[in-house]
């Protein structure tokens, strides 16, 4: 609905091109102001004592005045390219309201207007100072006196009434606009005010936060309006006891650690509780509290895509589709697979995926499931980082299974936590089945005053559900293969967990040779196409989930992708040796609820070198050291029922090993120092393309298409079915990518337009994934 009064006299001025609906300048500005009001309702306490929202309201009203330029209007009607920046021309109208701001606030006002599309260096390059023919003169000539008069009348007539209708009168003060003339000298003056402030930010650390919030909020409001988001959803405000009543099955108790989590208030917390004892529910209770002060947003982070996809499904069932978003590198594929289940046409599902991705990018979901690397983009000053950080203000962050990160990644995460806690009033809930002191100390440093919540001794006793058996030899030995087949034939569901994809594929081959049929065997790892990966995850959920009605006997052969937050409940585990935290997560996928009494879990003593996955080191004697130290600790408990309450003592003994302690501490310290440098260099209005390379180096993955799918892949690209095309891609490590290229096993795909895609000339099986069986990898190659 249009507000009243409405500037009918400028309805001929457009803000969007005719091809995109031809939205008028006044209509678009009204929508931007509406979304800004939504953002204020989301975080009214954000500004503190400053007049941030006052500056933002008036900046948002003026931000697109420059679109009234004749050349810009012609361009919107399919005319020639316009070489100027409309946001710079909008500065010509700042003098009309500048008297309503202090000198410091004028800098905020100008920065919010001129930065809402481009970084400061690009603006400076487009309109350099000191050249003979100032391009600002040509720019200002694009607005004639009549048009300027209409804009001034709009400002004088509508700006004050609109702020009242939007509920912003308390934070955006009334201003009586003064007459102005569009003048290149005044535009240059305000542009210089902006450049000078950005230069001062190099040394003025305190002023960076307002700059981040100003740009982040105005760009978010503008992008939401452009995407026609009609309302920014309010926070989830359900009190935790009501949520518990909805989530906890009838007859099941609320655990004491869950109750404590809900009652802790706005404090950050660490939770240690057994796998399967409701840590996810405890985290949600903590985030919502008593419902009176809900967090602006809730971010639920997990380390693996499979666990993120599963958590997304789980939370959607609890809070509904409109409340929950999913964001990771392959979220589009995961969403597409889910939407296709309820859509008749693939095109409809693709449109819905595109819209969902927009909503996630625009920060329009109250609860988002994502990887911590999506959060870390902000630290690397990638384009749009100010909007990301503004969205993290006054938010609640849940970090599930913190043990899963190597020390370097943990240092990045704790650095982000510290920064968001100090600068953006964020709070954190970190949970795991284990909290070795070496990790807890780093979390305490990052989070400051933190509550530590632990499951009660009675709960730990109740979750004594596994008996440990160490076995000589290897997981792949013939006797073990026969034993696994016998277990399946006896009606059991068996998790077989190997450290590498090659071993998973070897195990599958041996189990098939030993007599297991296709319906008795599921293999999952990271070297399937994204389409097959989603299909396999769905099959695992249907057949192995805790609440699955039918539980057919099978062997689930997997890598680490099953370790975290997959709500599956098998009968026993056979595992390669690995660090204790990883083994405990594997054990937690069997007898998850403890309803089966005591189940036996098997860990093999060989190979004990980490297999290139755990404890890499240039010194072969130190490589895999963490696995050998873990096995030494497990020898003390061979044949015993695992006491969940004693696990922290096991871990502390493991990390007390001098070699391991030194390895871990040095790796963490090196990255922590780099994080401090990154944070100290974080300045608004200046994204850093070079840091994008630094960010990409964090990920050891390259996408390729198996040669058997090349034709299908190309056809989807030609038809612009990009999501469907990506379903044929497989992720491989950068090392293997380089080796395959050197061995001639990769070649460029046929014509793919702008996409450069490599075809892997290797065998692919939808039940086994991409095979490297004929590729020799030198462990010393780099």
């Amino acid at each position: 609905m249009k507000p009243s009064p409405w500037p009918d006299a400028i309805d001929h001025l457009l803000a969007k091109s005719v091809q995109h609906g031809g939205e008028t300048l006044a209509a678009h500005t009204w929508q931007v102001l509406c979304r800004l009001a939504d953002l204020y309702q989301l975080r009214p306490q954000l500004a503190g004592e400053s007049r941030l929202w006052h500056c933002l309201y008036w900046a948002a009203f003026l931000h697109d005045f420059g679109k009234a330029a004749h050349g810009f209007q012609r361009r919107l009607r399919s005319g020639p390219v316009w070489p100027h920046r409309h946001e710079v021309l909008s500065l010509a109208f700042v003098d009309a309201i500048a008297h309503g701001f202090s000198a410091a606030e004028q800098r905020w006002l100008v920065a919010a207007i001129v930065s809402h599309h481009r970084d400061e260096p690009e603006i400076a390059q487009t309109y350099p100072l000191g050249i003979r023919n100032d391009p600002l003169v040509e720019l200002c000539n694009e607005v004639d006196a009549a048009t300027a008069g209409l804009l001034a009348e709009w400002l004088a007539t509508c700006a004050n009434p609109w702020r009242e209708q939007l509920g912003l009168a308390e934070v955006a003060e009334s201003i009586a606009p003064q007459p102005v003339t569009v003048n290149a000298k005044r535009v240059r003056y305000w542009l210089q005010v902006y450049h000078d402030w950005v230069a001062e930010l190099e040394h003025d650390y305190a002023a960076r936060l307002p700059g981040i919030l100003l740009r982040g909020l105005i760009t978010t409001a503008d992008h939401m309006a452009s995407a026609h988001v009609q309302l920014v959803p309010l926070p989830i405000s359900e009190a935790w006891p009501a949520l518990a009543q909805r989530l906890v099955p009838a007859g099941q108790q609320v655990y004491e650690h869950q109750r404590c989590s809900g009652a802790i208030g706005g404090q950050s917390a660490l939770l240690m509780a057994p796998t399967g004892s409701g840590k996810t529910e405890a985290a949600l209770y903590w985030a919502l509290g008593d419902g009176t002060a809900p967090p602006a947003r809730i971010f639920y982070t997990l380390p693996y895509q499979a666990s993120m996809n599963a958590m997304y499904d789980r939370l959607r069932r609890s809070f509904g589709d409109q409340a929950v978003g999913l964001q990771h590198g392959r979220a589009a594929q995961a969403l597409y697979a889910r939407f296709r289940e309820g859509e008749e046409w693939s095109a409809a599902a693709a449109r819905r995926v595109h819209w969902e991705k927009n909503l996630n990018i625009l920060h329009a979901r109250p609860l988002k499931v994502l990887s911590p690397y999506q959060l870390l983009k902000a630290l690397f000053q990638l384009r749009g980082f100010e909007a990301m950080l503004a969205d993290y203000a006054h938010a609640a962050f849940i970090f599930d299974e913190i043990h899963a990160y190597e020390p370097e990644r943990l240092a990045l995460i704790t650095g982000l936590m510290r920064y968001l806690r100090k600068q953006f009033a964020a709070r954190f809930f970190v949970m795991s089945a284990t909290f070795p002191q070496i990790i807890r100390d780093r979390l305490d440093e990052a989070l400051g005053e933190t509550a530590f919540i632990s499951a009660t001794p009675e709960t730990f006793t109740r979750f004594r559900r596994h008996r440990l058996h160490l076995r000589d030899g290897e997981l792949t030995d013939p006797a073990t293969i026969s034993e696994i087949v016998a277990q399946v034939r006896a009606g059991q569901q068996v998790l077989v967990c190997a450290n590498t994809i090659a071993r998973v594929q070897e195990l599958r081959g041996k189990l098939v040779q030993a007599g297991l049929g296709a319906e008795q065997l599921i293999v999952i790892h990271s070297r399937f196409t994204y389409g097959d990966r989603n299909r396999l995850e769905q099959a695992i959920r249907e057949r192995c989930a805790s609440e699955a009605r039918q539980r057919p006997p099978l062997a689930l052969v997997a890598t680490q992708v099953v370790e975290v937050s997959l709500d599956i409940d098998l009968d026993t585990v056979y595992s390669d040796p690995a660090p204790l935290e990883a083994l405990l997560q594997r054990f937690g996928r069997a007898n998850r609820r403890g309803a089966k009494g005591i189940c036996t879990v098997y860990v093999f003593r060989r190979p004990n070198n980490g297999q290139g996955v755990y404890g890499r080191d240039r010194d072969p004697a130190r490589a895999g050291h963490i696995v050998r130290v873990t096995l030494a600790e497990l020898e003390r408990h061979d044949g015993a029922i695992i006491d969940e309450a004693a696990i922290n003592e096991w871990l502390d003994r493991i990390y007390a090993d001098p070699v391991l302690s030194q390895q871990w501490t040095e790796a963490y310290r090196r990255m922590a120092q780099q994080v401090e440098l990154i944070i100290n260099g974080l300045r608004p209005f200046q994204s850093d393309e070079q840091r994008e390379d630094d960010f990409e180096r964090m990920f050891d993955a390259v996408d390729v298409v198996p040669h058997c799918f090349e034709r299908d892949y190309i056809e989807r690209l030609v038809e612009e079915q990009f999501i469907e095309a990506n379903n044929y891609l497989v992720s491989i490590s950068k090392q293997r990518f380089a080796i395959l290229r050197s061995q001639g096993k990769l070649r460029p795909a046929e014509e793919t337009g702008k996409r450069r895609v490599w075809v892997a000339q290797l065998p692919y099986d939808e039940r086994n994934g991409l095979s490297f069986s004929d590729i020799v990898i030198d462990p010393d190659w780099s």
Side-chain angles (χ1 to χ4, degrees), residues 471 477-488 494 574 602 604:
R471 300 279 288 268
D477 290 344
T480 304
I481 298 298
S482 299
E483 187 174 322
I484 293 170
V485 171
Q487 293 258 30
V488 173
V494 182
Y574 290 77
Y602 303 95
F604 289 79

Side-chain angles (χ1 to χ4, degrees), residues 530-550:
Y530 294 111
D532 283 343
R533 176 81 174 266
N534 282 313
R535 173 183 57 79
L536 290 166
E537 288 177 12
Q538 179 63 28
I540 292 168
R541 287 194 297 270
E542 291 175 352
R543 299 169 68 180
C544 305
S546 299
E547 70 278 7
R549 295 180 180 179
Q550 295 183 341

Side-chain angles (χ1 to χ4, degrees), residues 413-468:
I413 292 168
T414 55
L416 175 69
M417 288 176 172
R418 183 185 298 106
Y419 177 63
L420 295 180
R421 173 179 66 86
K422 289 183 176 180
Q423 297 296 323
F424 294 91
R427 56 192 179 97
F428 299 86
F429 191 85
V430 186
M431 56 187 181
S432 180
T434 57
F435 267 112
Q437 196 65 41
I438 197 169
I439 293 178
R440 185 174 167 183
D441 288 346
R442 271 60 180 190
L443 290 169
D444 287 341
E445 292 170 2
L447 301 181
E449 184 178 348
T450 307
F452 185 78
I453 304 168
S454 177
T456 64
E458 293 77 16
T459 301
F460 277 113
T461 299
R462 176 178 175 178
F463 279 84
R464 290 181 179 178
R465 54 205 157 150
H466 302 125
R467 185 182 300 277
L468 172 67

Side-chain angles (χ1 to χ4, degrees), residues 179-198:
V180 296
T181 302
V182 176
N183 185 302
K185 289 185 178 180
R186 293 304 297 167
V187 173
R188 175 63 66 188
Y189 170 78
W190 290 119
L191 202 53
Q192 195 58 47
V193 166
Y194 172 57
H195 293 318
D196 289 345
W197 187 42
V198 173

